[in-house]
Amino acid sequence: MRVVRMGQLSVEVELGDLTVIALSDGETGMPVTHLRGPDGAPLADLSGADVVAGKLRLPVWAFLVRGPEGSLLIDSGAADAWHPVLGRLGEAMREAGVAAAEVTAVALTHTHIDHLSGLVARDGGLAFAHADRVFVATEELGDFRAEPRMAPVLARLMPLEQGDAPMRGVVAINAPGHSPGHMAFLVDGRMLIWGDIVHHAAVQFAAPEVTWVYDSDQALARASRLALMQRAVEEGFIVAGAHLPHPAIGRIERAGEGYAFKQVQGGA
């Protein structure tokens, strides 16, 4: 992996024939009670947490994979549907030199508001008009179709299953628990774009048993996190996540009973 460029809202890395660009949708804050202990109660010990003005720091990222056959956008940010400080995906794309017309397909890690909302522009039209396929896990197709905002996208909807390749060199991996059909994507066999496996890096790498209030099945979310972290270490994967701190890309290693996240550095 080679870091090509690192900006305020975007980070570009090369992986052989593929390029991955992390695109920031902005950063917001969430209540400290959103972190949950193994008993499901709000986490009592917040030592080490990244807290700003009494709230947990929550970055939001999407990722563009460029290849010889087109460009796949993984997740699309919150647009104007959630916190007003978010919705900066377009600004990040401009910083990275990415035009909306370049996106030829979209794949969602899951169908929560901060991952699907950017598919639709402020005027109600398609944000990525040249993306003729939008891949969503089979388990979450119903949720996607039930979201009124997504009406313009329905004709482009494609079911996504474990092992499917929404683009050559990108393979879907089941990682359920945060949502029923939550997916990760393995790029070029070496970068794992894992969606919401981690919400608060300052706590959940060192203590991966800690869950998030919006995990639909907290035990399953915990199991998926532990399995993917172990696999990332054993197979030497680079990891990238929707809620990791800038630059949202790095490697993990064992550290005591948990893990440590080592962010990529510019020019590395």
Side-chain angles (χ1 to χ4, degrees):
M1 179 187 72
R2 183 174 75 91
V3 178
V4 176
R5 183 188 48 77
M6 189 175 294
Q8 183 180 6
L9 295 173
S10 60
V11 180
E12 182 174 348
V13 300
E14 284 184 353
L15 295 172
D17 290 337
L18 300 177
T19 299
V20 176
I21 304 175
L23 298 163
S24 173
D25 196 50
E27 180 178 292
T28 188
M30 302 297 281
V32 295
T33 53
H34 278 19
L35 288 172
R36 298 299 172 101
D39 60 356
L43 191 66
D45 182 5
L46 290 170
S47 57
D50 188 1
V51 178
V52 178
K55 291 191 173 184
L56 300 169
R57 191 188 300 270
L58 186 79
V60 178
W61 295 85
F63 298 88
L64 184 85
V65 184
R66 278 177 171 159
E69 300 175 354
S71 294
L72 173 72
L73 182 65
I74 297 176
D75 291 335
S76 65
D80 59 353
W82 199 33
H83 295 193
V85 292
L86 300 177
R88 302 184 70 184
L89 181 65
E91 186 181 347
M93 292 174 69
R94 288 189 291 275
E95 179 187 274
V98 177
E102 177 183 333
V103 179
T104 52
V106 178
L108 299 184
T109 58
H110 61 299
T111 55
H112 287 176
I113 194 169
D114 52 327
H115 297 261
L116 61 72
S117 298
L119 289 170
V120 177
R122 290 181 184 273
D123 64 4
L126 292 167
F128 307 103
H130 293 171
D132 57 4
R133 296 166 299 155
V134 175
F135 294 90
V136 174
T138 301
E139 297 89 341
E140 300 193 21
L141 288 172
D143 290 340
F144 190 96
R145 292 187 178 111
E147 173 52 57
R149 183 188 182 99
M150 292 298 110
V153 187
L154 296 184
R156 303 178 182 215
L157 200 55
M158 299 286 290
L160 184 70
E161 299 274 359
Q162 161 86 10
D164 286 350
M167 172 179 168
R168 183 176 296 184
V170 180
V171 179
I173 298 175
N174 286 340
H178 178 58
S179 68
H182 187 273
M183 287 283 188
F185 296 93
L186 185 60
V187 181
D188 194 45
R190 50 182 165 154
M191 175 182 280
L192 189 63
I193 299 177
W194 67 15
D196 284 15
I197 287 293
V198 167
H199 284 85
H200 195 69
V203 170
Q204 287 181 293
F205 280 107
E209 70 277 7
V210 173
T211 59
W212 189 247
V213 67
Y214 294 124
D215 291 338
S216 63
D217 183 326
Q218 294 201 0
L220 186 56
R222 182 182 300 113
S224 288
R225 179 166 44 259
L226 289 167
L228 285 187
M229 285 183 172
Q230 181 175 344
R231 185 176 176 187
V233 170
E234 291 177 350
E235 301 189 38
F237 292 156
I238 306 153
V239 299
H243 300 302
L244 297 183
H246 187 286
I249 298 170
R251 296 185 183 273
I252 63 175
E253 59 188 36
R254 290 293 314 200
E257 297 298 314
Y259 296 86
F261 177 55
K262 305 296 184 182
Q263 298 162 311
V264 297
Q265 302 296 316

